[in-house]
Amino acid sequence: MERVASRGAIMFSVVSAAITMLLLSPPWAFAAAAGSNCTTSCGNISIPYPFGVEPGCYHAGFKLTCLNDSLLIIGASSAPVLEINLPDGTMLIDVMRVDESELPLPDPESSSNYTTAGTWDVIGNGGDGLYALSGTRNKLVAVACDVQVVLMGLDGDIISTCAAFCSPFLGKTYMVASADCSGVGCCQATIPTGVAVYLLQFRRFNGSWSGEEATVYIVDAERLSSYAMDAGLPSSLPAVVEWVISNDSTCQGNVTSPECRSSHSFCQNSTVFGGGYRCHCSQGYDGNPYVLNGCNDINECESPEIYPCFGNCNNTQGGYLCHCPLGFEGDAYKPTGCKDVDECMHPEAHSCYGICTNMPGTFHCQCPQGRFGDPFIRGGCITSKNSFSGLNIALVVSGGLILLLVALAAPFITRKLQLQRAKRMKEKFFKQNHGLLLQQLISQNTDIGERMIFTLREIEKATDKFDKTREVGGGGHGIVYKGILGLHVVAIKKSKIVVQREIDDFINEVAILSQINHRNVVKLLGCCLETEVPLLVYEFISNGTLYHHLHVEGLISLSWGDRLRIALEVARALSYLHSAASMPIYHRDIKSSNILIDDSLTAKVSDFGASRHIPIDKIGITTAIQGTIGYLDPIYYYTGRLTDKSDIFSFGVLVIELLTRKKPFIYRSDNGDGLVSHFDSLFMEGKLVDIIDPQVMKEENGDVQEVATLAVMCTKLKGEDRPTMREVEMTLENMRAKNGAANKTAPACSHRDHILAQGANQELSRQYTMEEEIMLSARYPR
């Protein structure tokens, strides 16, 4: 069972010699400091002091080896050096990957799913206290299916972990954009700062160690997107190593140190290793602070893209000066900071005794018409005998008349041009939004109202040109305004985003939604197509949302009777959309803030901005993921496959929200579980009283357990295990009839209720697998 490949021996006994040669470095610390006989590069890699190759050319602990004048490595290790960065105190090295087969498998007679922990000394000799992997720059990356990778400290404490799964429709192959390693075929996690040696383990979720082998990297996160993790996995990837001059001393006075040899340099203590320091060039200087005269002044004027100057730039030692050109004043460090000086406003300073005309950076001074001479001398302009002829008078009068006519006509011409341009834009948007197709549908379908298409002028009049005071709400899909069309108060939704590929389906969906006539669905009255994004007109519901009624301050919220009735009304609406509409409609964003409440506390489903209609001959479609964190169906999230079961999962979350008064999108238990996962665990343990709203426990008539059972069934991980909305509606109808009117006969669905309860009770003895727990409690990255 002990399988250790030759490469594995190098990796887990450690890229061991990586720092060995550092310990053998000579005791002189700064002997030559990159003298004339020192190697300054290996291949295309520069070697700045304190690093070096020959004796006397490096500081203690910073010896490198150059193989064949082309490959630079740390001492005698096999980790190639790709780059050395003095200002950042970092080094880029090539780190070999680790394969799952390089660790011994667990004893087949034991119940463990973990490999035997292997030591991963990435740099060698534990970095000798001078080197450690950067936690801010690097990522732990695993390419695998159904495997958890665990990174531990030498004391056995877990310091980083990630898990990767492969959905069935992907099979055994996966194409992953590396920067997108989010858990499907590839995962990533952060690593701690200042650690050089780890323990590494693998865990298989399915208990099988056959099939695709897991591979682990530590890699520079900035370069991760450059590598495609597909069939041809690289044998190594670059990682960032941080270093300090010494791990057991600090800067003198926290600013100086003998090792900072250059003038215009300073010492700065490091917080990465818990000790040690680095040298830096002072502000306005760059170069090597570890050698004499290594820090040189930066000529900022040669790099205006870094050091902005929008006037005349003069370089100084450690900085630069920027001032406005002659004839301008202001702040030359800003793009428009230099303003022209109007010399004509200060004639005493510029001695102009004639007509002064300001020009950029200067001015022009001339004698008045009919005079000649020197206008810069007081009395220097002399009157001409023929200064003002009849021709001059005629020119002045005619010019004045022309200017008067232009001034009078300009507003009318401008207004006319603006109206014509606005008309052309309206016609363009109307055609772009398929207004002609909607007109054709109206003429062919008498079920669609004749006043379904509204003009932009009507909408602007109804909303006072979208005045801010008319805003009554908003969300991920747009802003809602309150308006008055005719004698009716309406809600007008103005979308935020233009997605041309969805506008192609917009008109058909408007036609379908306009035919929905259900007391628990907000009625779509029409639309305006004369804007870039179509505007939708709905009936106005004045009493706010279920979210605001449920999550009020204090102990008392909606009564249990009202909550149960609202759940039934939402179920009726969704059942109608799924099975009774002319074409099935999936809402995709069921949540408490999208349930409007009218004055009689009747629920109405709203916000169809994310909804999709599904052709009758199809059971689902693959589409871009939309929805709200906490309510989103995990199977739909991972597969993109939209079915009616996605709305049922969101409805189940809504029922849990009604039972607990907890907010699904922010709730986290003490163990870090989301609302759905925590509720399911308490349900299976018979401890629902720990999470149910105390007001519900006081008001309920013994039906909380039934409602909780229904919520658990609706939020099953697998869509096929969830009931249909029609079955949910019948179950809630039966509860209402049983509790509210004992003299009435409940709908004939008790057999289905028995099946729902039986299915939920069977779950009491089953624990969620890790995969399900991750999918249900994860903080979705959206």
Side-chain angles (χ1 to χ4, degrees):
M1 295 301 294
E2 297 184 358
R3 300 178 298 139
V4 182
S6 59
R7 185 169 62 85
I10 294 175
M11 292 298 298
F12 290 95
S13 51
V14 202
V15 179
S16 61
I19 303 299
T20 302
M21 293 299 292
L22 300 178
L23 301 176
L24 302 177
S25 300
W28 55 84
F30 302 95
S36 58
N37 295 326
C38 296
T39 300
T40 58
S41 65
C42 181
N44 59 353
I45 310 299
S46 296
I47 308 176
Y49 188 84
F51 296 92
V53 175
E54 297 85 3
C57 295
Y58 53 85
H59 180 54
F62 287 83
K63 183 182 185 304
L64 304 177
T65 301
C66 182
L67 300 179
N68 300 324
D69 295 328
S70 60
L71 181 62
L72 186 65
I73 61 175
I74 302 177
S77 75
S78 60
V81 177
L82 306 178
E83 178 185 286
I84 298 174
N85 191 313
L86 283 183
D88 293 345
T90 60
M91 174 188 293
L92 192 67
I93 68 172
D94 215 8
V95 178
M96 295 290 290
R97 76 186 193 193
V98 179
D99 293 329
E100 183 180 2
S101 61
E102 297 176 14
L103 292 180
L105 295 178
D107 188 340
E109 297 181 359
S110 70
S111 59
S112 173
N113 286 331
Y114 287 95
T115 61
T116 301
T119 304
W120 194 2
D121 188 349
V122 179
I123 306 171
N125 286 353
D128 198 31
L130 300 178
Y131 301 85
L133 286 166
S134 172
T136 59
R137 293 281 301 275
N138 296 315
K139 292 284 187 182
L140 174 71
V141 175
V143 182
C145 287
D146 304 327
V147 174
Q148 180 187 13
V149 177
V150 180
L151 204 64
M152 298 177 291
L154 294 180
D155 55 2
D157 290 340
I158 295 177
I159 57 178
S160 183
T161 182
C162 75
F165 302 91
C166 291
S167 299
F169 73 93
L170 288 177
K172 287 294 183 179
T173 61
Y174 33 79
M175 294 289 290
V176 180
S178 301
D180 236 3
C181 283
S182 57
V184 180
C186 181
C187 70
Q188 59 177 302
T190 58
I191 64 172
T193 297
V195 180
V197 183
Y198 308 93
L199 294 178
L200 180 66
Q201 278 187 323
F202 295 89
R203 178 191 179 184
R204 281 287 181 177
F205 291 119
N206 56 15
S208 172
W209 295 89
S210 60
E212 294 291 332
E213 182 179 39
T215 299
V216 179
Y217 298 91
I218 289 182
V219 58
D220 180 7
E222 294 181 358
R223 292 171 169 81
L224 182 55
S225 60
S226 302
Y227 305 97
M229 301 298 184
D230 51 19
L233 297 177
S235 60
S236 61
L237 287 178
V240 179
V241 173
E242 297 192 46
W243 51 268
V244 292
I245 285 296
S246 173
N247 62 355
D248 57 0
S249 61
T250 58
C251 301
Q252 299 176 10
N254 202 33
V255 292
T256 62
S257 172
E259 287 80 358
C260 304
R261 305 185 68 196
S262 177
S263 56
H264 307 296
S265 68
F266 66 95
C267 177
Q268 186 174 40
N269 290 321
S270 171
T271 59
V272 175
F273 295 79
Y277 59 90
R278 302 189 189 109
C279 297
H280 302 273
C281 288
S282 302
Q283 184 176 3
Y285 295 84
D286 64 1
N288 191 336
Y290 299 100
V291 299
L292 291 173
N293 303 319
C295 291
N296 302 309
D297 175 55
I298 298 173
N299 188 346
E300 292 86 353
C301 297
E302 294 180 351
S303 304
E305 69 283 355
I306 303 176
Y307 308 97
C309 178
F310 299 90
N312 295 330
C313 181
N314 294 323
N315 184 57
T316 62
Q317 285 295 313
Y320 69 107
L321 298 176
C322 184
H323 54 83
C324 292
L326 183 65
F328 293 84
E329 62 184 2
D331 188 353
Y333 294 94
K334 298 180 180 178
T336 57
C338 290
K339 306 295 183 182
D340 177 43
V341 177
D342 190 350
E343 291 87 352
C344 297
M345 297 295 293
H346 307 281
E348 71 285 352
H350 301 287
S351 303
C352 179
Y353 300 98
I355 297 176
C356 181
T357 304
N358 185 58
M359 302 174 68
T362 184
F363 68 102
H364 181 62
C365 186
Q366 62 184 16
C367 288
Q369 186 174 5
R371 296 173 180 244
F372 64 94
D374 188 352
F376 292 98
I377 300 175
R378 188 183 298 273
C381 292
I382 302 172
T383 303
S384 173
K385 294 182 179 180
N386 300 319
S387 61
F388 208 70
S389 64
L391 178 60
N392 291 336
I393 296 175
L395 290 175
V396 171
V397 172
S398 60
L401 290 175
I402 293 173
L403 290 176
L404 179 62
L405 291 175
V406 171
L408 293 175
F412 297 99
I413 296 173
T414 302
R415 177 64 177 168
K416 185 68 174 177
L417 293 174
Q418 289 176 343
L419 291 175
Q420 289 179 351
R421 182 177 182 275
K423 182 179 179 181
R424 287 195 301 269
M425 291 299 294
K426 290 179 182 179
E427 292 174 351
K428 172 189 173 183
F429 291 139
F430 188 82
K431 293 179 181 179
Q432 177 177 301
N433 294 329
H434 303 295
L436 299 177
L437 175 59
L438 185 57
Q439 287 179 335
Q440 183 179 0
L441 290 174
I442 292 176
S443 64
Q444 294 175 354
N445 193 338
T446 57
D447 292 334
I448 302 178
E450 290 294 334
R451 286 293 297 142
M452 186 171 180
I453 300 180
F454 298 96
T455 65
L456 179 58
R457 183 177 181 182
E458 291 175 304
I459 300 296
E460 289 179 338
K461 181 178 179 181
T463 60
D464 289 340
K465 294 185 177 180
F466 302 102
D467 190 89
K468 292 284 289 185
T469 60
R470 293 296 189 97
E471 292 184 12
V472 294
H477 299 289
I479 303 174
V480 179
Y481 296 86
K482 180 180 179 181
I484 300 177
L485 279 174
L487 301 178
H488 300 285
V489 180
V490 297
I492 299 171
K493 182 174 179 180
K494 184 178 184 182
S495 296
K496 295 178 180 178
I497 304 173
V498 181
V499 183
Q500 187 60 44
R501 59 184 174 80
E502 292 187 359
I503 290 181
D504 295 338
D505 294 332
F506 172 76
I507 298 306
N508 284 330
E509 296 199 27
V510 168
I512 292 171
L513 291 174
S514 67
Q515 300 176 67
I516 294 177
N517 187 15
H518 192 279
R519 70 187 302 267
N520 298 121
V521 178
V522 174
K523 178 66 177 176
L524 176 66
L525 303 177
C527 61
C528 174
L529 307 177
E530 294 179 351
T531 57
E532 186 175 11
V533 182
L535 306 174
L536 299 178
V537 181
Y538 295 93
E539 64 172 319
F540 183 75
I541 308 299
S542 60
N543 202 16
T545 66
L546 172 60
Y547 176 89
H548 293 107
H549 282 271
L550 183 62
H551 299 291
V552 295
E553 294 184 3
L555 299 177
I556 304 301
S557 179
L558 288 170
S559 69
W560 171 239
D562 285 334
R563 297 188 203 185
L564 189 58
R565 175 182 50 76
I566 288 172
L568 173 59
E569 289 171 346
V570 175
R572 287 171 179 167
L574 292 177
S575 178
Y576 171 84
L577 293 172
H578 287 186
S579 57
S582 60
M583 190 174 292
I585 300 173
Y586 300 159
H587 190 281
R588 282 208 294 184
D589 200 15
I590 293 297
K591 57 183 177 181
S592 56
S593 58
N594 281 344
I595 309 300
L596 300 183
I597 304 296
D598 66 9
D599 294 332
S600 62
L601 293 184
T602 298
K604 291 181 178 287
V605 178
S606 72
D607 198 345
F608 287 83
S611 302
R612 294 297 302 268
H613 69 269
I614 308 298
I616 296 176
D617 59 344
K618 294 185 178 181
I619 61 173
I621 60 171
T622 300
T623 180
I625 307 301
Q626 290 194 38
T628 301
I629 296 172
Y631 297 87
L632 193 62
D633 175 14
I635 298 301
Y636 169 47
Y637 171 80
Y638 277 106
T639 65
R641 186 70 176 173
L642 177 65
T643 68
D644 61 329
K645 302 297 186 178
S646 302
D647 279 353
I648 294 169
F649 183 91
S650 300
F651 175 80
V653 179
L654 178 66
V655 173
I656 294 175
E657 185 177 359
L658 290 170
L659 285 166
T660 63
R661 270 184 78 188
K662 308 294 185 187
K663 301 176 183 179
F665 51 88
I666 62 173
Y667 178 82
R668 282 291 176 271
S669 70
D670 293 339
N671 295 328
D673 293 338
L675 180 59
V676 174
S677 180
H678 191 210
F679 185 89
D680 183 83
S681 298
L682 294 177
F683 178 84
M684 292 189 292
E685 297 169 4
K687 297 180 181 179
L688 280 179
V689 69
D690 293 346
I691 196 171
I692 297 295
D693 183 7
Q695 179 187 348
V696 171
M697 298 302 297
K698 183 184 295 185
E699 298 177 0
E700 64 103 6
N701 296 321
D703 47 13
V704 164
Q705 187 66 28
E706 293 182 65
V707 177
T709 300
L710 180 64
V712 170
M713 294 299 293
C714 290
T715 54
K716 289 278 193 178
L717 184 62
K718 295 181 179 179
E720 58 265 26
D721 293 338
R722 303 169 194 162
T724 65
M725 279 313 305
R726 178 58 179 159
E727 291 169 338
V728 172
E729 177 190 6
M730 293 172 65
T731 301
L732 291 173
E733 290 276 13
N734 186 39
M735 289 188 212
R736 286 269 297 166
K738 182 170 57 178
N739 294 334
N743 58 337
K744 293 184 180 180
T745 303
C749 58
S750 59
H751 177 66
R752 173 62 185 177
D753 295 340
H754 172 72
I755 294 175
L756 290 174
Q758 184 182 38
N761 290 333
Q762 289 174 353
E763 298 295 324
L764 292 174
S765 62
R766 180 183 65 82
Q767 297 294 326
Y768 271 84
T769 66
M770 176 166 286
E771 178 182 2
E772 293 169 334
E773 183 68 22
I774 290 173
M775 294 176 71
L776 284 176
S777 64
R779 294 175 173 85
Y780 301 121
R782 294 182 177 273

